[in-house]
Amino acid sequence: MLERVPHFIEGEQVFEGPTFPAYDPATGAEIRRVHEADAAVVDRAVRAARRAAPAWAALPVAERARWMRRLADRIEERFDDLVAVEIADTGKPLEQTRTLDIPRGAANFRSFAEIAAQRPAEAFHLPGVLSYTIRRPLGVVAVIVPWNLPFLLMTWKLGPALVAGNTVVVKPSENTPGSAALFGEICAEVGLPPGVVNIVHGYGRTGQLLVEHRGVDGVTFTGSTRTGSTIMKSVADRVKPISFELGGKNAGLVFADADLDRAVAGSVRSVFTNGGQVCLCTERLYVERPVFEEFAARLAQRAAEVTPQPMISAQHREKVLSYYRLARKEGAKVLTGGDALPGPGYFVEPTVVTGLPEDSRFNTEEIFGPVCHIAPFDTEEEALELANSSEYGLAATLWTTNLDRAHRVAQRLEAGLVWVNTWYLRDLRTPFGGVKLSGIGREGGTQSLDFYSEPTTITMELT
Ligand code: NAD
């Protein structure tokens, strides 16, 4: 019997609506049947969230922070179940799931509990005038998340949204419903007040029904730029606040003065982690000419040794392979990979190509697979121009041992996140997000709390 994935509304599992299949990308086997929410189910979830909102918002922040810590504790108690479900849905390596995805889920609740509980209020005093600011939750927040880091990204939004006093309706990706469903169980197990967290499953059309619902006060979305743009249009009439973490076409710059061993190892990680299915992955590498040949050869050799990880779906595998074919058609030199891998499961070869023009589709569109293009540059100015030529601006990485250059270049890169001699190292208190087509707004630390609340300034004349 296939597991059936229910919605989670007002503290209850809801087995309603037709079901659709979810697959294990490592084998291609159907592993779950997922209930799809229609307008009536979405409406029920939003109403539940609205009913729960006043009491939840009225709790002292220290009390909500205690709930966040209870959720984190229960995540840790159900660690093995969460790891198993996430691996089945995504095909991720055990090690990555155990050390990153699930622990970050618990950390997201603990960190934001701490940040919120310790946040001071603002007051400004002039002779005869006192102004101070209070922050109130938005109300009901729609949380829409993608499939590449399902549990990590969902909790990244839930931690701050909930501790700031909002209630939520979550729409996980249709490809990866498992860990969200388990999180519904966790909410019930710790006794979280019913309606504070609600989860509805479905495809994009369910997400669309949710963001358009008049009972939703704000939308936080992580996913592709195209969907972000659609959501923006959907909420425009009601001018709802949005926070968007979108796609990328991230650049890595390797200068001739870099520690090459470190730069090669770091670039391999930044291109191939999670099969390239991390929004922060590097898809464009630019290497200073004196070390270009050596770097490219070493990168290609290491790429050929990478253990392939499945693409999330048959459809996504086909998309990645279409870019491999396009590269060949456009005259690329394939340094390694470039083909499908035999099934079962949705595997493709880790791939490095060179020789394509900067304005080619391959070099401008997000591929989201285990692949990069590598090209030489001659000057620092040229490197910056190449890196900044993208319409996207999520992350950039640079490899150099020259301290002046590190700061000079980092400060001119058009990206929300810049790493120097490392990649994917995160402090949850720092702002996270992108510029240009990569997003609107920032989450992380107090920036998240700012998005999930609205300030009211109160000014009083003192006589
Ligand atoms: P996607 O945009 O296809 O889907 C994301 C979510 O939106 C899914 O839950 C989907 O069902 C839902 N959705 C689709 N259409 C909708 C609509 N019209 N209204 C409301 N919801 C809708 O993205 P994906 O393929 O799941 O994820 C991959 C993308 O996410 C990549 O572009 C990647 O760069 C991006 N991403 C960005 C970040 C970041 O922090 N910037 C992090 C992870 C992933």
Side-chain angles (χ1 to χ4, degrees):
M1 255 287 272
L2 287 170
E3 188 201 336
R4 290 168 80 84
V5 177
H7 312 295
F8 180 71
I9 300 176
E10 215 153 21
E12 306 275 341
Q13 295 189 324
V14 175
F15 292 84
E16 247 174 56
T19 62
F20 62 89
Y23 301 95
D24 176 347
T27 63
E30 185 178 329
I31 50 169
R32 312 183 201 290
R33 300 290 311 179
V34 189
H35 284 275
E36 183 182 0
D38 61 8
V41 172
V42 169
D43 182 58
R44 211 167 129 188
V46 175
R47 283 173 191 276
R50 287 218 81 77
R51 273 194 296 279
W56 182 250
L59 289 179
V61 66
E63 187 56 37
R64 286 196 299 269
R66 258 196 292 282
W67 281 111
M68 298 303 102
R69 288 192 283 272
R70 277 176 216 151
L71 288 170
D73 289 346
R74 191 67 190 145
I75 286 169
E76 280 157 6
E77 283 160 19
R78 298 208 57 186
F79 189 80
D80 291 343
D81 297 338
L82 283 161
V83 167
V85 108
E86 196 83 329
I87 288 177
D89 275 1
T90 61
K92 282 175 196 288
L94 176 66
E95 190 55 19
Q96 184 189 318
T97 316
R98 288 188 66 83
T99 56
L100 175 69
D101 300 80
I102 308 305
R104 260 292 294 279
N108 284 335
F109 287 109
R110 286 196 206 290
S111 302
F112 285 106
E114 208 170 299
I115 294 166
Q118 290 177 4
R119 193 172 193 198
E122 281 188 329
F124 303 91
H125 189 207
L126 290 172
V129 186
L130 174 67
S131 295
Y132 64 96
T133 304
I134 57 161
R135 298 202 76 97
R136 285 181 290 204
L138 298 176
V140 175
V141 175
V143 177
I144 312 233
V145 278
W147 46 259
N148 61 329
L149 304 163
F151 194 64
L152 186 157
L153 289 173
M154 177 183 72
T155 50
W156 170 245
K157 294 175 179 302
L158 288 186
L162 293 173
V163 82
N166 302 280
T167 58
V168 298
V169 181
V170 184
K171 212 294 283 168
S173 166
E174 53 275 30
N175 294 310
T176 53
S179 54
L182 207 56
F183 183 71
E185 289 179 22
I186 285 171
C187 292
E189 285 161 1
V190 302
L192 192 73
V196 169
V197 169
N198 306 276
I199 301 164
V200 294
H201 295 281
Y203 296 103
R205 56 183 175 245
T206 298
Q208 179 97 27
L209 288 167
L210 177 59
V211 300
E212 285 175 352
H213 196 292
R214 295 174 74 90
V216 164
D217 302 302
V219 177
T220 176
F221 170 74
T222 298
S224 63
T225 299
R226 180 194 294 232
T227 306
S229 167
T230 306
I231 292 177
M232 205 162 169
K233 290 176 196 128
S234 307
V235 302
D237 280 350
R238 298 195 61 77
V239 208
K240 292 179 193 178
I242 46 165
S243 175
F244 282 175
E245 299 184 338
L246 308 178
K249 188 73 184 173
N250 308 310
L253 302 181
V254 181
F255 288 90
D257 60 29
D259 172 340
L260 269 208
D261 290 346
R262 199 168 160 193
V264 170
S267 300
V268 167
R269 271 188 68 227
S270 83
V271 175
F272 300 109
T273 293
N274 209 34
Q277 301 166 113
V278 179
C279 53
L280 307 167
C281 277
T282 302
E283 292 194 1
R284 298 177 295 139
L285 266 172
Y286 302 106
V287 184
E288 203 168 356
R289 201 173 300 275
V291 293
F292 176 76
E293 293 299 335
E294 180 189 348
F295 187 92
R298 288 177 63 180
L299 182 80
Q301 189 202 341
R302 293 285 297 276
E305 294 161 11
V306 164
T307 308
Q309 206 178 308
M311 301 296 92
I312 192 67
S313 62
Q315 191 192 7
H316 187 54
R317 177 181 190 251
E318 184 42 43
K319 176 187 157 185
V320 173
L321 289 174
S322 76
Y323 281 98
Y324 288 8
R325 288 192 293 271
L326 181 70
R328 282 216 172 78
K329 203 170 123 206
E330 288 181 336
K333 181 173 170 202
V334 179
L335 299 182
T336 187
D339 279 310
L341 283 168
Y346 314 132
F347 292 89
V348 300
E349 285 182 334
T351 295
V352 179
V353 307
T354 187
L356 288 175
E358 277 308 302
D359 60 357
S360 60
R361 279 187 54 209
F362 192 94
N363 267 332
T364 51
E365 297 175 9
E366 183 186 49
I367 302 171
F368 222 52
V371 56
C372 74
H373 182 269
I374 179 166
F377 69 84
D378 290 303
T379 65
E380 191 176 296
E381 207 52 37
E382 187 193 358
L384 273 162
E385 223 168 85
L386 289 165
N388 290 342
S389 66
S390 174
E391 290 187 288
Y392 291 97
L394 184 55
T397 307
L398 70 113
W399 303 90
T400 177
T401 51
N402 179 326
L403 189 61
D404 288 338
R405 166 175 281 152
H407 288 291
R408 199 168 54 229
V409 174
Q411 291 177 18
R412 289 181 61 197
L413 281 165
E414 293 168 8
L417 303 147
V418 176
W419 281 289
V420 181
N421 296 328
T422 186
W423 177 75
Y424 208 0
L425 196 57
R426 287 276 302 132
D427 183 323
L428 303 191
R429 294 168 300 182
T430 58
F432 180 95
V435 302
K436 302 197 264 187
L437 289 186
S438 292
I440 296 180
R442 295 291 182 277
E443 296 188 28
T446 53
Q447 312 260 332
S448 290
L449 299 176
D450 283 349
F451 172 71
Y452 294 110
S453 63
E454 291 274 24
T456 295
T457 301
I458 299 167
T459 303
M460 187 170 174
E461 192 170 351
L462 309 171
T463 53

